[in-house]
């Protein structure tokens, strides 16, 4: 299944040093898991986290869940050991933090030959270089996705993480455009306030409406809302199927525009409808998977 059709509505960060949490993740209703060696792991626990993650991946049992390993950045003392460990395991993606430019992706690709890479988009330079990062990474076949690192962006730019995230909207749109232009998946950053469900839901809708494929989360209680927001609604799927059926009718062959349920739709809407139905079908299939 293509990454862009495979549901990645909700991707949960999981500290690599917490064996109990990793085991619990096997049964959570998230589409993906980020097994983290970076921010969620204390310096003294890095080595143990590598061991626990490697053992968990070898054991398996994660079912449909898209598994991402996030390593420490190249300017840290843990990078070399993370790279050595990463080259011994299989994961669906390897998430590289502190990407500033396209050269950083190539450096990671050289260190992790043949591994599918994702980039943490969390620095001011990453925002300025998003198009080049996406174009070169995709052209070389290394890069498969972006993850927004909004906390680090706030720290390094001084932009406030306020409701509505107005100070960052232009960067989000730049990253979405770059990802979409070059066939990359893009996931929103985390929402820090666990006791503000309304704020979290609003941020999910914002990310969805901006064109992101899903959102990273930090707690299991955020999963259900995120899954719902990033899934096509029942009404959207029903209309999409109606559009597809209309364009497939013999009398409509070759027509570029039709009136469907009181709306004018063109062939581009038929393409959008097919993507909507494909995602809905993939989510339905995922629900029946272990």
């Amino acid at each position: 299944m293509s990454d862009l059709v495979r549901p990645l509505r909700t991707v949960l960060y999981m500290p690599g040093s917490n064996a109990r949490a990793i085991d619990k993740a096997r049964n959570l209703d998230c589409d993906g898991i980020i097994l983290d060696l970076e921010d969620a792991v204390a310096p003294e626990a890095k080595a143990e986290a590598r061991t626990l993650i490697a053992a968990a991946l070898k054991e398996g049992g994660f079912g449909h869940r898209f598994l991402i390993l996030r390593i420490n950045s190249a300017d840290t003392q843990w990078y070399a050991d993370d790279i050595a460990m990463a080259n011994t395991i299989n994961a669906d993606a390897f998430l590289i933090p502190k990407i500033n430019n396209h050269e950083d992706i190539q450096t990671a690709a050289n260190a992790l030959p043949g591994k599918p890479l994702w980039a943490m988009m969390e620095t001011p330079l990453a925002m300025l270089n998003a198009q080049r990062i996406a174009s070169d990474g995709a052209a070389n076949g290394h890069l498969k996705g972006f993850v927004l690192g909004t906390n680090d962006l706030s720290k390094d730019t001084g932009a406030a993480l306020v409701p509505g995230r107005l100070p960052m909207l232009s960067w989000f749109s730049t990253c979405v455009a770059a990802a979409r232009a070059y066939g990359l998946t893009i996931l929103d950053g985390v929402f820090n306030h666990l006791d503000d469900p309304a704020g979290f839901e609003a941020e999910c809708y914002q990310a969805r409406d901006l064109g992101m494929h899903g959102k990273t989360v930090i707690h299991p209680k955020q999963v259900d809302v995120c899954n719902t927001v990033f899934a096509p609604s029942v009404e959207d799927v029903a209309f999409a199927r109606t559009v597809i059926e209309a364009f497939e009718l013999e009398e409509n062959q070759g027509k570029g525009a039709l009136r469907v349920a009181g709306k004018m739709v063109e062939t581009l809407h038929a393409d959008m409808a097919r993507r909507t139905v494909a995602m809905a079908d993939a989510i339905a299939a995922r629900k029946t998977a272990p």
Side-chain angles (χ1 to χ4, degrees):
M1 183 184 298
S2 165
D3 287 348
L4 297 183
V5 176
R6 180 174 188 163
L8 283 176
R9 301 162 296 169
T10 305
V11 178
L12 176 67
Y13 279 101
M14 192 63 60
S17 55
N18 190 330
R20 182 178 178 184
I22 293 173
D23 184 59
K24 183 179 178 181
R26 292 181 169 92
N27 297 304
L28 295 175
D29 191 27
C30 52
D31 292 328
I33 300 166
I34 297 175
L35 298 165
D36 196 15
L37 290 171
E38 198 208 15
D39 288 346
V41 179
E44 65 273 14
K46 302 283 190 185
E48 179 187 16
R50 289 186 210 102
T51 300
L52 289 174
I53 290 173
L57 290 173
K58 183 177 181 179
E59 181 181 349
F62 292 95
H64 64 270
R65 295 161 192 85
F66 190 85
L67 300 178
I68 303 172
L69 174 71
R70 182 166 74 164
I71 66 172
N72 288 278
S73 60
D75 61 352
T76 67
Q77 68 191 74
W78 307 290
Y79 177 74
D81 288 336
D82 286 357
I83 290 294
M85 172 266 195
N87 275 308
T88 68
I89 65 167
N90 291 317
D92 295 302
F94 295 78
L95 182 56
I96 314 300
K98 304 300 185 290
I99 293 297
N100 288 310
N101 50 52
H102 64 285
E103 288 96 342
D104 291 341
I105 294 296
Q106 187 60 55
T107 298
N110 292 340
L112 295 167
K115 302 288 189 182
L117 305 181
W118 283 44
M120 286 296 305
M121 301 294 284
E122 57 185 348
T123 71
L125 280 173
M127 299 302 100
L128 296 173
N129 295 322
Q131 189 270 340
R132 184 72 186 274
I133 292 169
S135 63
D136 282 26
N140 292 329
H142 309 312
L143 189 62
K144 305 299 182 183
F146 282 170
V147 177
L148 293 176
T150 44
N151 286 325
D152 278 280
L153 267 178
S154 178
K155 175 178 71 71
D156 290 348
T157 64
L161 275 171
V162 294
R165 301 190 292 182
L166 179 61
M168 295 187 178
L169 283 184
S170 62
W171 300 331
F172 295 166
S173 294
T174 295
C175 289
V176 168
R180 293 285 187 168
Y182 297 100
L184 307 180
T185 303
I186 180 166
L187 304 179
D188 192 17
V190 301
F191 185 80
N192 301 314
H193 306 290
L194 295 178
D195 296 325
D196 182 10
F200 174 69
E201 184 176 30
E203 202 165 281
C204 289
Y205 276 112
Q206 181 194 51
R208 184 202 67 181
D209 292 347
L210 283 168
M212 298 183 204
H213 295 93
K215 186 171 179 63
T216 51
V217 299
I218 55 175
H219 194 279
K221 72 180 183 180
Q222 296 177 322
V223 168
D224 287 345
V225 168
C226 201
N227 279 346
T228 299
V229 170
F230 282 96
S233 69
V234 172
E235 295 77 13
D236 287 344
V237 175
F239 181 70
R241 294 189 190 278
T242 300
V243 170
I244 294 168
E245 291 168 2
F247 274 96
E248 289 178 347
L249 290 174
E250 184 176 353
E251 63 264 30
N252 291 330
Q253 296 303 299
K255 292 183 179 180
L258 300 173
R259 184 183 176 97
V260 178
K263 296 181 180 180
M264 290 303 299
V265 294
E266 301 176 4
T267 53
L268 67 91
H269 296 106
D271 292 338
M272 294 167 64
R274 292 185 187 96
R275 287 198 295 270
T276 296
V277 170
M279 179 57 69
D281 289 346
I283 291 170
R286 208 233 71 181
K287 289 179 179 178
T288 64

